[in-house]
Amino acid sequence: MAQHETNKAGGMSRAVDKATDSTTFERVARAGHVMSGFVHLLIAYIIVQLAFGSGGNADQSGALGTLASKPGGRFALWVATIAFIAMALWRLAETVLGPHATEKSGDNDDTSLLDRAKAFGLAVVYFAFAFSSYQFASGGGKSSGQQNAGMSARLMESGAGKTLLVIVGLVAVAIGGYHIYKGAAKNFLDDLKGPPSKFVEPLGVVGYVAKGLVIAGAGVLVIVAVFNSDPSKATGIDGAVKTLGSAPFGQFLLVLAALGIAAYGLYSFVMARYARM
């Protein structure tokens, strides 16, 4: 029985390894970075609008909604859905084979569980991106900020729900902190093929640090919302951005945030071409 399970696992691993040898699969997965770049640039655009008095949701749903409202936007969202699904499947392959599956040969058992866990986490993120993109492409997209606030309100009705929200907030702070560290330490360079240009390095530093600060800020707001019993504050990235705008020198801070998120968007285009996969 144990031998049968081992053979079954080995067969799955070989099948996944064969799939990652497909140039078409890799190219469609890389398109996920391109679409991520466009989404981040749209979020940056919305943040600039907020800085100068216009409304909008400064998060993924706001960016997708903006795209859906433009001529040809629905078609672009269907393309984005396919690209995000391909990237999610690629990350699942890395969960099985280890990171940078196209570079691996032979035994991959030396790959750490943490690397595989990060790959799985990214797969979940890209599947979520694909689902959101599909919703807006099919005309059923909703504000994620409002959905987050509604879910938070329901969870705050019980002690277990509040505990879960605090855990979610702490996880967001940890993820944000990881992005900040990855940018400041320039660890993102390990994800690229070959030496980066002088233009790429500052893009990655600014982009990762800015995105990390926003994610961590969203996590802090969730925790604060729990202790203040105010679910309206637990709206995710949009809430973090708008809280930043209400601070002293808020307009200036929003412009800085927009530049940082735009830098991450541009770096995503670099990843589409030079990421190790």
Side-chain angles (χ1 to χ4, degrees), residues 149-167 222 225-227 229-231:
M151 183 179 296
S152 296
R154 290 191 293 272
L155 288 173
M156 285 184 192
E157 293 175 358
S158 68
K162 291 180 179 179
T163 300
L164 178 60
L165 280 175
V166 170
I167 293 173
V222 170
V226 172
F227 286 102
S229 298
D230 184 5

Side-chain angles (χ1 to χ4, degrees), residues 109-221:
D109 289 340
D110 60 338
T111 304
S112 73
L113 289 176
L114 179 59
D115 288 332
R116 295 175 189 269
K118 287 193 295 185
F120 181 76
L122 286 171
V124 173
V125 168
Y126 277 104
F127 274 127
F129 284 175
F131 181 68
S132 295
S133 184
Y134 163 76
Q135 285 185 310
F136 280 95
S138 58
K142 298 179 181 179
S143 167
S144 58
Q146 293 178 359
Q147 294 181 65
N148 290 339
M151 183 179 296
S152 296
R154 290 191 293 272
L155 288 173
M156 285 184 192
E157 293 175 358
S158 68
K162 291 180 179 179
T163 300
L164 178 60
L165 280 175
V166 170
I167 293 173
V168 169
L170 291 173
V171 169
V173 171
I175 293 173
Y178 172 74
H179 276 73
I180 295 169
Y181 168 75
K182 188 171 184 176
K186 301 180 182 179
N187 287 351
F188 59 88
L189 296 177
D190 296 336
D191 299 331
L192 302 177
K193 296 184 292 186
S197 68
K198 292 182 179 179
F199 178 67
V200 169
E201 189 172 309
L203 271 184
V205 172
V206 174
Y208 269 101
V209 170
K211 185 172 181 178
L213 288 171
V214 172
I215 294 174
V220 169
L221 284 181

